[in-house]
Amino acid sequence: MILRVATRDDIPFIMGTERLPGYEFMIGQSDAETHAREMASDGSRYLIAEEGGTPVAFAILQHLDNRHGNIYLNRFATTRQGEGIGTRALVLLQDWVFARPQAYRLHLHFSADNERGRRLYARVGFQDEGVERQVYPRPDGGRVDTIRVSILRPEWEKSRGM
């Protein structure tokens, strides 16, 4: 697997992936214009994970210009679940983020209903920071909590034997 910076040509893949069944209430969805605008932002980077030249996952990073080194993983999705794609892609993503000398903390939040995501993030070293209560509306009118997690540079270094 390789990780590369996305281009505008990747927007159809990104939009198709974020609209796969099961992601409706787990990750956000944006239109092509919104993705293009965010992709052009200095503080953001879209990354594509590929296997054998085929895109299999994407990530949207924000706040790369944060003066305190706090990088936000806004969105992450794979084309297939249960095959280890997410684990491999997130390991590469962490390496990409922490190759930036100013990066200190990679953080994200996810739906408390996303048990698969919870296991994935824990498996690659993210630590729980807390619950954000009733952040998003559910289709049934209820609300869902989100879980905030992060990995710090020293934790990443230890996981890589540095």
Side-chain angles (χ1 to χ4, degrees), residues 64-119:
L64 292 170
D65 51 0
N66 178 275
R67 67 187 181 105
H68 302 292
N70 296 301
I71 311 300
Y72 178 57
L73 177 55
N74 174 273
R75 198 170 297 164
F76 175 78
T78 64
T79 55
R80 299 181 311 278
Q81 295 181 354
E83 298 178 22
I85 293 169
T87 301
R88 293 190 304 277
L90 280 173
V91 167
L92 290 175
L93 179 70
Q94 290 173 352
D95 292 347
W96 189 94
V97 166
F98 290 116
R100 304 173 72 84
Q102 75 277 18
Y104 185 80
R105 177 175 168 263
L106 176 60
H107 66 104
L108 64 111
H109 67 267
F110 60 91
S111 168
D113 295 339
N114 186 353
E115 200 49 49
R116 185 182 289 266
R118 178 189 295 270
R119 289 189 308 270

Side-chain angles (χ1 to χ4, degrees), residues 98-156:
F98 290 116
R100 304 173 72 84
Q102 75 277 18
Y104 185 80
R105 177 175 168 263
L106 176 60
H107 66 104
L108 64 111
H109 67 267
F110 60 91
S111 168
D113 295 339
N114 186 353
E115 200 49 49
R116 185 182 289 266
R118 178 189 295 270
R119 289 189 308 270
L120 169 63
Y121 299 127
R123 187 167 40 252
V124 297
F126 284 90
Q127 303 295 311
D128 284 351
E129 292 187 338
V131 175
E132 298 169 311
R133 301 177 325 141
Q134 300 186 6
V135 177
Y136 298 113
R138 294 178 195 248
D140 65 6
R143 304 217 31 117
V144 65
D145 295 344
T146 63
I147 310 297
R148 178 146 315 265
V149 297
S150 70
I151 185 168
L152 307 178
R153 177 179 289 280
E155 295 163 343
W156 168 78

